[in-house]
Amino acid sequence: MPSLWRAERKAMGSANGLEIEKGKQPLFSFGLISDVQYSDIPDGRSFLGVPRYYRHSVYVLQRAVQKWNTHHHRHRFVINFGDIVDGFCPKDQSLNTVKKIVDEFEAFKGPLYHLIGNHCLYNLPRRELLPLLKIKSLKGHAYYDFSPVPQYRFVVLDGYDISAIGWPQDHPRTLVATKFLQEKNPNEDKNCPAGLVGLERRFLKFNGAVGKEQMEWLNGVLQEATKLKQKVVVCCHLPLDPGASSKEALLWNYDEVMSLIHRYNCVKVCFSGHDHKGGYSIDSHGVHHRVLEAALECPPGTDAFGYVDVYDDRMSLYGTDRMRSTDMYFNPKVELS
């Protein structure tokens, strides 16, 4: 991290990581949470041995909604970064469980924006899932954008556009993904990274890629945002920078997506979920990458959710418990270029 940003972060820091500048009001604020992965099953562990609290996670969500509603006049909207129900949820309960968690989200007194994750797709195919999440789509895609204020645009990417999960088995996108995994991952279990080296460890079945059509759409959105002098926030369930994430959690073609993003100066922050421990980095072009800590891995009585205050020159994430607070200043040199 450049020393100037480090000094700014330190100057702004308080005991819990952030301090509000007196008198300066944000342009707007929004709530966020990721990887609730609720299921009415006993607690378990991840493949790395990290405890998972399947029944408790709904209480984390309920407390989040309660907190956001306390300030609903302030929070313009809430974004869920995907994986609302766990893959271990019994399949005969998937539909009702997804509906239950969607209902919990809809207790928020304002607009909601959902991203899809791998666990969502383990439970329901896209044609059933997207209407429940109120993601409007003609072809089953889950990418879209919105502009809460004239100065900012949010871009939601579909990280499972090319994927071996969620599409019908004979769908061209499933076939492309299956062939890709056969070429990239020699293991019989395509969720196993054994033998894969370095960044190759992302070539796992529980990840996916952004397809050509979506890339063209993203390019068009970034062009338009640049013309309108909008700052852009990119949201994707799968992380887009190795500095903020485990290699095993990255979007298959994160490098292609970031190469496109780096052609423009409008993208300031990329938010993601999926890698439950969370992470933060600033990439070589000054873009901030914040991977959100999972609600699923909160021991009873603890939380992982937050809200973001948005200014012209920065975003300030205020996290609760396991979700770390983060000040993200925009690079002034990028602003001027």
Side-chain angles (χ1 to χ4, degrees):
M1 185 188 305
S3 58
L4 173 64
W5 291 346
R6 192 180 295 116
E8 283 180 312
R9 281 167 61 81
K10 190 174 179 183
M12 280 290 294
S14 63
N16 71 342
L18 295 170
E19 186 177 296
I20 299 171
E21 283 185 286
K22 290 182 176 64
K24 183 160 186 182
Q25 292 298 311
L27 295 171
F28 65 97
S29 302
F30 65 94
L32 39 66
I33 193 168
S34 191
D35 296 89
V36 173
Q37 287 183 225
Y38 169 78
S39 184
D40 186 14
I41 57 174
D43 294 344
R45 292 181 181 271
S46 72
F47 66 93
L48 294 174
V50 179
R52 292 184 163 184
Y53 305 95
Y54 296 110
R55 290 185 174 124
H56 175 255
S57 65
V58 70
Y59 300 117
V60 178
L61 175 57
Q62 287 170 350
R63 289 191 290 266
V65 171
Q66 186 177 15
K67 193 80 173 278
W68 295 327
N69 278 338
T70 304
H71 304 285
H72 74 273
H73 58 285
R74 177 180 178 186
H75 297 326
R76 189 68 63 96
F77 55 88
V78 160
I79 305 184
N80 155 44
F81 280 82
D83 281 0
I84 59 175
V85 172
D86 195 82
F88 282 131
C89 177
K91 294 303 163 277
D92 61 341
Q93 297 173 26
S94 287
L95 181 59
N96 286 336
T97 306
V98 170
K99 285 179 176 177
K100 170 187 169 76
I101 302 303
V102 167
D103 286 347
E104 295 289 353
F105 271 104
E106 290 183 350
F108 173 65
K109 299 171 183 173
L112 290 163
Y113 296 98
H114 290 282
L115 281 67
I116 61 169
N118 52 309
H119 283 267
C120 305
L121 297 171
Y122 296 150
N123 279 279
L124 294 175
R126 284 171 177 262
R127 60 184 165 73
E128 292 183 47
L129 180 67
L130 299 193
L132 291 173
L133 300 179
K134 294 183 170 61
I135 297 174
K136 296 187 175 84
S137 170
L138 292 174
K139 298 180 182 176
H141 299 299
Y143 56 86
Y144 57 94
D145 67 306
F146 62 96
S147 180
V149 297
Q151 302 97 313
Y152 273 87
R153 184 179 295 215
F154 283 68
V155 175
V156 173
L157 298 181
D158 182 350
Y160 293 90
D161 189 10
I162 305 295
S163 170
I165 49 176
W167 299 102
Q169 284 303 300
D170 59 351
H171 195 284
R173 292 171 189 274
T174 307
L175 300 176
V176 168
T178 302
K179 183 172 183 286
F180 179 83
L181 283 172
Q182 290 289 354
E183 292 169 357
K184 297 289 188 180
N185 187 333
N187 296 299
E188 189 175 342
D189 176 4
K190 298 303 179 188
N191 279 327
C192 175
L196 299 178
V197 177
L199 290 167
E200 292 176 353
R201 294 176 71 82
R202 71 187 187 276
F203 298 132
L204 303 171
K205 189 176 179 180
F206 57 63
N207 298 329
V210 168
K212 183 173 181 287
E213 190 179 316
Q214 186 177 177
M215 289 287 280
E216 290 168 355
W217 169 83
L218 175 60
N219 187 47
V221 171
L222 298 181
Q223 277 183 357
E224 187 180 343
T226 299
K227 284 179 190 168
L228 295 172
K229 295 184 164 47
Q230 291 176 321
K231 295 179 175 73
V232 174
V233 180
V234 172
C235 304
C236 183
H237 180 68
L238 294 160
L240 301 173
D241 186 64
S245 167
S246 303
K247 296 176 182 69
E248 294 84 356
L250 291 163
L251 185 80
W252 288 344
N253 63 335
Y254 79 88
D255 46 351
E256 286 181 58
V257 172
M258 289 312 302
S259 179
L260 173 57
I261 285 172
H262 288 156
R263 281 167 46 192
Y264 299 88
N265 292 328
C266 55
V267 176
K268 304 303 175 187
V269 180
C270 297
F271 285 108
S272 301
H274 196 51
D275 192 15
H276 291 185
K277 69 182 185 308
Y280 173 61
S281 65
I282 303 172
D283 71 24
S284 59
H285 287 66
V287 178
H288 297 260
H289 295 261
R290 184 65 173 85
V291 180
L292 303 172
E293 292 80 6
L296 173 66
E297 293 182 2
C298 294
T302 66
D303 289 316
F305 60 85
Y307 69 91
V308 177
D309 281 346
V310 181
Y311 299 86
D312 273 321
D313 64 340
R314 74 183 188 282
M315 288 192 175
S316 296
L317 166 60
Y318 293 83
T320 303
D321 290 351
R322 287 188 67 254
M323 186 171 287
R324 294 185 292 276
S325 296
T326 315
D327 246 339
M328 294 168 279
Y329 285 88
F330 306 151
N331 184 350
K333 290 179 183 175
V334 172
E335 294 295 314
L336 295 170
S337 60

